[in-house]
Amino acid sequence: EIAQCLVGSEMCIRDSTYRFDWYCGKKVEFYIDNVLQTVIETNVPTHAMEVWIGAWCPSWAGEQRQENSKMTIYSFKYTKF
């Protein structure tokens, strides 16, 4: 995936891999480039559902610096484990 980021006042583009490990009804682990970012242990789905992908700024990611964002996804892969 290609992710846009803001460095100082200039835009940059970087290749990143985003991963969610879903442990049915227990927790969801979120990784960027294989580095654990956060673990969600509340309101974790217990059944399969549709995947929705979008650009947003969660509180743990810091302050949003732009009004408009663009995200381009080059591939998506689902692996059952």
Side-chain angles (χ1 to χ4, degrees):
E1 293 84 16
I2 303 286
Q4 288 189 353
C5 58
L6 187 65
V7 177
S9 61
E10 297 181 19
M11 292 298 298
C12 67
I13 296 176
R14 71 172 189 241
D15 292 326
S16 292
T17 300
Y18 299 88
R19 184 178 98 212
F20 295 90
D21 290 354
W22 169 43
Y23 299 85
C24 185
K26 297 178 183 173
K27 66 180 178 178
V28 177
E29 298 173 341
F30 174 57
Y31 295 82
I32 300 176
D33 297 326
N34 292 318
V35 176
L36 181 64
Q37 301 296 309
T38 192
V39 177
I40 300 168
E41 297 181 304
T42 57
N43 301 316
V44 177
T46 57
H47 295 45
M49 60 186 177
E50 293 180 357
V51 175
W52 290 40
I53 301 173
W56 62 288
C57 188
S59 59
W60 52 263
E63 183 179 336
Q64 183 174 349
R65 297 178 183 223
Q66 297 175 334
E67 293 270 336
N68 299 314
S69 298
K70 178 181 177 183
M71 177 176 69
T72 303
I73 299 171
Y74 290 95
S75 68
F76 173 83
K77 181 173 90 171
Y78 166 80
T79 305
K80 187 174 182 176
F81 70 96

